[in-house]
Amino acid sequence: MPLAPKLDAASAAKNLDEVKPPYAPQEALVEANRCLFCFDAPCIMACPTGIDIPSFIKKIATDNVVGSARVILSANILGASCARVCPTEVLCEGACVMLDKEKEPIKIGRLQRYATDHVFNNNIKLFQPTKKKVGKKVAVIGAGPAGLGCAAELAQMGYDVTIFEKREKGGGLNTFGIAYYKMKPEVSLEEVALVESLGVEIRYSVEVGKDISVEELDKKFDAIFLGVGLGDTQKLGIPGEDAKGVVDALEFIEQIHTQPLHKVPVGDRVAVVGCGNTAIDASTQSKRLGASHVHVIYRRGEKEMPAYDFEYELAKSDGVEFLFNTLPLEVLKDNAGNVRGMKLAKTRVAAGKVEVIPGSEYEEVFDMIIPAVGQEKQKSWIQKVFPKLEIDKKGVIINDPQTKQTSEKKIFCGGDCANGGREVVNAVGEGKKAALGIHNFLMGEKVDSEVQPSRHGLKEGRPTGSGLRNPVRAPELEEAYFSTNGNGNGHKKA
Amino acid sequence: MADLSINLAGIKSPNPFWIASGPPGNTGYQCERAFDSGWGGVVWKTIGEPIVNVSSRYSALNYGQTRMIGLNNIELISDRSPETNFKEIYNVKKKWPNHAVIASLMVDTRERWHEFVQRSIDSGADGIELNFGCPHGMCERGMGSAVGQQPKVAETIVGWVMEAASGKIPVIVKLTPNITDVTQAARAAKRAGGNAISLINTINSITQVNLDTFVPEPYVNGQSSHGGYCGPAVKPIALNMVQSCAEDPEVQLPISGIGGISNWRDAAEFIALGSTSVQVCTAVMHYGFRIVEDMAEGLSNYLDSKGFKSVNELRGKAIHSLNRWENLNLNFKRVAQIDYDKCIGCNLCFIACEDGAHQCIDLVSPNGQGLGPGRLPGKPIPQIRQEDCVGCNLCSLVCPVDDCIEMVTIETGRPFFSWKEYQTKLAKGEMQPIPPHP
């Protein structure tokens, strides 16, 4: 059976409505007042972009919501989307001292959304393009979270920044690849507009290496930032994968973002292959779009699953079924070339390796297969366009973890192409780090307070609070700091 | 089960919990609902010449997510006729002979006072409370706090009242806190023959300014007025005034405590500082009469746990633990101590001590110590230098975890030595001045 839309517009909109609705003012006030306003709060240290979380929460508690949003967005220009998509349970909220009191952590993500929504919904302008120009130009390749994070930071430091984006819209994953019930693409596009309002030029539908050459970039710009993310979803590598009804997970999610919800074709019995967070997103969204049965197929067990626990719980509560220790062997097709099912086998893990249990093969009926087994690195594109750039075996660009500088001195990188695939907030944080690295490279100015294990006890004369612009968390540097300052920063009264 | 019944200057009540004069004691209907819920007494909303009120009348102070930690009002005395009020008192008393009904009165001339005292006696009320406290509206007409703020005037008026009331009905004089020394007003009540005092009435206040209209609340046609402040926020002030009157040798009158009492703990504190009954208004305005159930049970359980047979045994237990500063022991020392098993690493103690006190807490790197679950490596922890700690209590007050920072007594080995003794010895040349803190 060919895929077809299953729901009318109203039902589709209702089913894919936000799972976490925004706080009402009174709810936000109550939650904000629960925050202890820790000194040297561990939530700040757990945030890859170093947002001063207690400060922004305190401002919500005093009804200074605009000031709260300024704290958030000046540390993380994508604060509105991070409020929705960050795995807060394992980042800021996971570090909340309330957990030590055996209490619910402060709902930092939802408060962050409350503050950032306020300025976007009321069209409040928090930032002006900086007047103090440094007279240097930087090219940013890719208008995803890393590129936007880097561009915003550089623009605020006075650089002329041009972003080259091959798509017709910016935001990258945030615009095209986040589950619809977590974030609407409009939020991401508002953030792109915010970055542009800082004076950043974004040139859409321009692919570097095709529409503009690297030589040209090299001539016109003083430094280049690469934030090209990841490529297409990896192939399953099994027979029948070309059947009609096999839809790549990212492509499926992108369809949800680029056409009316009730026109997105979906199967009745859907198999999602893989068990990462993208697989979960695809499974819950196909269920919410009207599939009657959705199975997540994973060759390893429940414990090895890479998806976060809370994502797994969400999928289960949506009625998604999980087939663990199951390996797809072949996509079965009908005469018309449509998916009719899959041949599967049970597996076991021996010495870390997955092996098929002999004789366990069976067939299951499906009409849609969504592969979500990880994304390809941009290896071939990088090798073609930047042949001198060093990449590792996995296709990740080799870079200095502190400055994000690559083997080519002029080129910096961040985000998925530099870390192999992590969270949006990591990409923004790396973009910021790279901005400071570029500043150091071009101006010879060492950036202060990259190492910020505590806002207290910084050396005299150094900025306290929000670093140069804002602190960037660098665990590898903190380790070094502590190994040379073993006694910490305790001080004796004179 | 401890005996909760009390007798304040001859006014008997099954428990010490009375509704204070105000909106909850405005009608016979409310009074009966209060008794049904378990209140021991009601002080009727002040009866006088019926007045006309403005709209709106109340404004509140919220703090954090807590609503109404303070309330103010610009409402005046009863807007119902004395006939109606006295008739309802009569009806209530017939139905509830064992509960206390006290008529709160506010009139102006000697003749009117005589008349209203007699009408109270005729209504069967168990007592009279003289409203010498309202800080708004009535004082501009020469009543309320206008009387309470001038001990001589108060003494004269209590004298008029006693001419009609003496020996016939107990008289409680309700005092205003809007005065420099509340004991002066209490002494005046005593001199004039009053049988008891109640305090505090409301405090002059502006609770909030509307930052859009620039009109303070409550809003009355583009203007506002100073209002009487009450609720949990005023309790510390009330406790201080109750204790001052209770220990004053020239007062020595039974006391009905008022001011921010919301639960049994508050009530127990007022009683321990000398109150016989306690009056509650704001908490009832917030939550209704039902709160008395927990108040009575909580007080009873507390008395049982302390081995008190009656609420009277608690009365005044804390009056004499309060002394003048000059008599406190300068050689006594307490210091803060952190229980690291309980510390959650919020470091509020550190920053409070560092910025707001005496810089006796260090943040130290963990070295394994003090790290709890979920902690990130590199998270600093607080460490108290007890040799520098002055024992101010601030860290233990800001600590959000129960019993995490404890104040422990340090044995100094030095004898009791007060400021008073110090001054005496200095004057006699028996010792050198103690050097100032570095």
Side-chain angles (χ1 to χ4, degrees):
Chain A
M1 281 253 294
L3 306 186
K6 297 271 189 282
L7 302 174
D8 60 45
S11 315
K14 184 166 170 273
N15 284 359
L16 284 169
D17 201 6
E18 293 164 322
V19 284
K20 279 189 192 169
Y23 272 146
Q26 183 74 14
E27 288 176 296
L29 186 70
V30 169
E31 189 61 18
N33 273 300
R34 230 160 55 79
C35 174
L36 297 174
F37 197 46
C38 292
F39 181 76
D40 266 336
C43 53
I44 306 176
M45 297 195 204
C47 176
T49 59
I51 299 174
D52 190 343
I53 294 160
S55 163
F56 94 68
I57 294 178
K58 186 80 173 173
K59 286 168 194 274
I60 292 174
T62 68
D63 201 28
N64 177 7
V65 188
V66 174
S68 174
R70 187 191 300 279
V71 170
I72 296 161
L73 294 172
S74 60
N76 180 344
I77 201 75
L78 303 192
S81 49
C82 285
R84 291 164 168 84
V85 305
C86 263
T88 51
E89 289 84 349
V90 298
L91 294 172
C92 50
E93 292 174 23
C96 180
V97 298
M98 282 291 173
L99 292 166
D100 286 16
K101 278 177 91 174
E102 289 168 15
K103 290 191 173 158
E104 277 283 292
I106 308 301
K107 298 285 180 288
I108 298 167
R110 296 186 72 182
L111 287 171
Q112 181 166 322
R113 175 177 171 184
Y114 177 78
T116 50
D117 275 5
H118 179 81
V119 294
F120 282 116
N121 294 345
N122 295 293
N123 208 16
I124 295 166
K125 295 269 171 286
L126 288 178
F127 305 108
Q128 300 280 330
T130 180
K131 293 202 179 83
K132 210 179 120 195
K133 292 283 183 185
V134 298
K136 301 267 182 189
K137 291 180 179 170
V138 180
V140 169
I141 303 174
L148 293 172
C150 181
E153 197 73 8
L154 287 170
Q156 290 177 86
M157 283 192 266
Y159 288 86
D160 293 308
V161 185
T162 308
I163 302 181
F164 297 91
E165 169 58 51
K166 72 175 176 186
R167 287 177 189 261
E168 69 286 2
K169 281 177 188 169
L173 178 86
N174 281 359
T175 302
F176 299 101
I178 303 285
Y180 200 79
Y181 51 78
K182 289 181 190 165
M183 180 170 87
K184 309 260 182 292
E186 294 79 41
V187 177
S188 172
L189 295 174
E190 278 172 341
E191 288 175 329
V192 174
L194 176 64
V195 173
E196 288 180 292
S197 78
L198 295 171
V200 173
E201 185 198 353
I202 306 183
R203 294 177 59 187
Y204 295 107
S205 307
V206 176
E207 189 177 338
V208 173
K210 202 170 101 189
D211 304 312
I212 185 166
S213 71
V214 174
E215 289 69 35
E216 202 178 329
L217 289 184
D218 192 48
K219 228 181 330 172
K220 283 189 179 164
F221 294 93
D222 300 293
I224 295 169
F225 174 79
L226 271 180
V228 292
L230 296 174
D232 298 332
T233 305
Q234 281 169 1
K235 297 279 177 232
L236 295 174
I238 57 174
E241 205 172 350
D242 57 339
K244 281 181 264 180
V246 176
V247 184
D248 172 306
L250 287 178
E251 192 190 319
F252 175 61
I253 295 171
E254 187 168 339
Q255 283 175 16
I256 296 171
H257 286 68
T258 50
Q259 52 184 302
L261 293 175
H262 63 286
K263 292 194 173 157
V264 178
V266 65
D268 187 46
R269 292 182 60 88
V270 178
V272 177
V273 183
C275 210
N277 296 312
T278 304
I280 302 276
D281 283 355
S283 71
T284 51
Q285 290 188 104
S286 52
K287 194 84 177 61
R288 285 163 187 244
L289 282 173
S292 63
H293 290 84
V294 178
H295 291 78
V296 169
I297 295 167
Y298 184 48
R299 62 199 179 115
R300 292 174 186 264
E302 190 176 1
K303 281 181 189 150
E304 292 106 319
M305 167 176 63
Y308 291 120
D309 289 347
F310 46 87
E311 301 276 9
Y312 179 43
E313 292 305 321
L314 179 73
K316 282 199 292 190
S317 70
D318 272 1
V320 172
E321 291 163 55
F322 285 77
L323 301 176
F324 292 110
N325 296 309
T326 305
L327 184 72
L329 298 177
E330 184 184 350
V331 176
L332 306 170
K333 294 190 261 193
D334 64 14
N335 294 337
N338 293 313
V339 172
R340 71 169 174 83
M342 252 200 300
K343 190 191 264 185
L344 304 166
K346 300 310 283 181
T347 64
R348 63 182 166 219
V349 179
K353 284 199 166 179
V354 176
E355 59 185 44
V356 172
I357 299 172
S360 67
E361 294 85 356
Y362 68 109
E363 288 185 7
E364 191 84 57
V365 177
F366 296 111
D367 55 5
M368 183 182 193
I369 312 287
I370 305 179
V373 290
Q375 283 170 262
E376 313 244 359
K377 311 291 181 288
Q378 296 274 31
K379 194 173 173 181
S380 56
W381 180 85
I382 292 166
Q383 283 174 332
K384 194 181 87 191
V385 182
F386 293 96
K388 285 191 207 156
L389 211 56
E390 282 178 31
I391 51 178
D392 69 10
K393 279 181 208 155
K394 290 177 179 169
V396 175
I397 302 169
I398 293 170
N399 64 81
D400 179 324
Q402 187 174 349
T403 62
K404 308 309 285 180
Q405 194 166 35
T406 68
S407 57
E408 294 291 300
K409 297 289 167 231
K410 216 179 143 168
I411 301 175
F412 295 74
C413 65
D416 288 347
C417 70
N419 61 32
R422 291 182 75 187
E423 302 297 339
V424 169
V425 68
N426 296 103
V428 181
E430 288 178 12
K432 279 176 67 180
K433 254 192 215 184
L436 302 182
I438 290 168
H439 180 64
N440 184 20
F441 168 71
L442 292 178
M443 310 302 283
E445 282 177 29
K446 189 85 182 84
V447 175
D448 263 347
S449 69
E450 299 135 303
V451 185
Q452 208 165 24
S454 161
R455 284 176 294 170
H456 189 82
L458 286 172
K459 278 179 197 148
E460 253 183 75
R462 294 207 170 191
T464 56
S466 293
L468 174 74
R469 278 295 181 280
N470 289 290
V472 179
R473 185 164 144 74
E476 63 279 1
L477 296 176
E478 283 168 20
E479 245 166 62
Y481 178 92
F482 274 104
S483 64
T484 53
N485 298 273
N487 294 325
N489 44 38
H491 67 300
K492 287 278 177 197
K493 198 173 170 181
Chain B
M1 282 275 287
D3 176 14
L4 291 185
S5 70
I6 55 148
N7 180 337
L8 180 134
I11 303 170
K12 290 179 187 160
S13 136
N15 65 46
F17 305 112
W18 294 357
I19 299 295
S21 178
N26 195 30
T27 62
Y29 166 77
Q30 286 168 292
C31 194
E32 293 203 39
R33 274 184 61 80
F35 290 159
D36 265 334
S37 306
W39 292 88
V42 170
V43 184
W44 209 268
K45 186 169 167 90
T46 303
I47 306 166
E49 287 304 318
I51 50 75
V52 181
N53 267 311
V54 294
S55 166
S56 54
R57 312 172 193 178
Y58 306 148
S59 169
L61 177 70
N62 301 331
Y63 190 81
Q65 73 264 52
T66 310
R67 301 226 144 223
M68 253 168 75
I69 65 156
L71 178 76
N72 92 351
N73 78 88
I74 54 170
E75 191 171 298
L76 304 183
I77 63 169
S78 178
D79 53 4
R80 307 163 82 227
S81 74
E83 291 71 36
T84 309
N85 283 315
F86 285 124
K87 201 175 115 198
E88 288 183 9
I89 290 176
Y90 179 80
N91 290 336
V92 168
K93 267 318 290 181
K94 259 175 68 180
K95 253 174 108 174
W96 302 85
N98 299 322
H99 286 61
V101 178
I102 293 124
S104 171
L105 303 181
M106 186 197 285
V107 287
D108 42 11
T109 64
R110 182 178 179 184
E111 290 67 36
R112 297 292 271 168
W113 278 110
H114 285 176
E115 180 202 332
F116 272 70
V117 169
Q118 190 54 49
R119 290 173 82 174
S120 303
I121 296 169
D122 295 343
S123 73
D126 298 282
I128 292 170
E129 186 180 82
L130 311 182
N131 184 344
F132 286 2
C134 267
H136 47 82
M138 301 310 282
C139 48
E140 291 155 23
R141 307 174 197 190
M143 292 181 272
S145 63
V147 175
Q149 285 167 343
Q150 297 185 55
K152 278 194 178 151
V153 178
E155 190 173 342
T156 305
I157 294 176
V158 175
W160 297 343
V161 169
M162 296 318 294
E163 288 165 7
S166 197
K168 295 175 192 155
I169 190 167
V171 173
I172 307 166
V173 182
K174 185 169 179 178
L175 306 177
T176 177
N178 300 306
I179 186 169
T180 312
D181 179 2
V182 74
T183 60
Q184 297 300 319
R187 288 175 186 181
K190 168 82 170 184
R191 282 195 301 272
N195 305 107
I197 50 173
S198 60
L199 66 166
I200 59 174
N201 206 307
T202 54
I203 306 171
N204 239 331
S205 70
I206 299 170
T207 52
Q208 54 173 311
V209 175
N210 184 316
L211 290 176
D212 295 319
T213 63
F214 303 106
V215 180
E217 299 284 339
Y219 179 92
V220 186
N221 195 29
Q223 294 192 307
S224 190
S225 189
H226 302 264
Y229 194 45
C230 53
V234 312
K235 187 185 115 180
I237 296 162
L239 281 176
N240 179 52
M241 291 190 168
V242 164
Q243 191 273 345
S244 303
C245 291
E247 66 139 20
D248 191 309
E250 292 178 47
V251 178
Q252 300 306 308
L253 285 173
I255 296 172
S256 185
I258 313 167
I261 297 161
S262 310
N263 55 52
W264 69 267
R265 295 192 71 96
D266 299 332
E269 290 176 41
F270 272 82
I271 294 167
L273 285 177
S275 301
T276 298
S277 71
V278 291
Q279 299 187 27
V280 179
C281 180
T282 311
V284 168
M285 291 174 74
H286 201 159
Y287 300 111
F289 293 121
R290 60 193 170 138
I291 59 168
V292 76
E293 190 271 333
D294 174 60
M295 295 180 85
E297 187 195 30
L299 182 64
S300 178
N301 288 343
Y302 166 71
L303 294 172
D304 290 347
S305 74
K306 294 290 168 195
F308 293 126
K309 297 276 181 292
S310 73
V311 68
N312 294 326
E313 289 180 31
L314 172 64
R315 190 167 65 240
K317 279 280 179 199
I319 296 174
H320 301 294
S321 305
L322 211 74
N323 209 322
R324 293 166 69 92
W325 191 92
E326 65 179 11
N327 295 323
L328 299 178
N329 184 3
L330 296 174
N331 278 341
F332 178 74
K333 181 158 185 180
R334 297 192 101 190
V335 295
Q337 187 171 291
I338 297 174
D339 180 345
Y340 284 106
D341 289 337
K342 291 181 177 146
C343 175
I344 56 173
C346 70
N347 293 337
L348 286 175
C349 56
F350 163 77
I351 198 62
C353 187
E354 190 74 2
D355 291 356
H358 298 269
Q359 301 85 47
C360 321
I361 302 181
D362 296 322
L363 284 185
V364 297
S365 88
N367 294 333
Q369 190 189 24
L371 275 179
R375 293 277 172 77
L376 292 162
K379 181 174 170 180
I381 57 163
Q383 194 174 74
I384 292 168
R385 290 192 316 281
Q386 290 189 332
E387 68 274 20
D388 294 326
C389 176
V390 302
C392 75
N393 284 350
L394 184 62
C395 56
S396 71
L397 297 177
V398 300
C399 179
V401 184
D402 288 338
D403 305 324
C404 177
I405 299 185
E406 192 191 353
M407 299 304 297
V408 294
T409 302
I410 298 286
E411 204 47 69
T412 61
R414 289 178 291 173
F416 184 97
F417 185 59
S418 70
W419 173 259
K420 207 171 173 181
E421 288 173 343
Y422 177 40
Q423 293 307 299
T424 311
K425 287 195 171 182
L426 273 183
K428 287 183 184 164
E430 288 173 12
M431 69 178 288
Q432 292 297 308
I434 299 168
H437 203 262

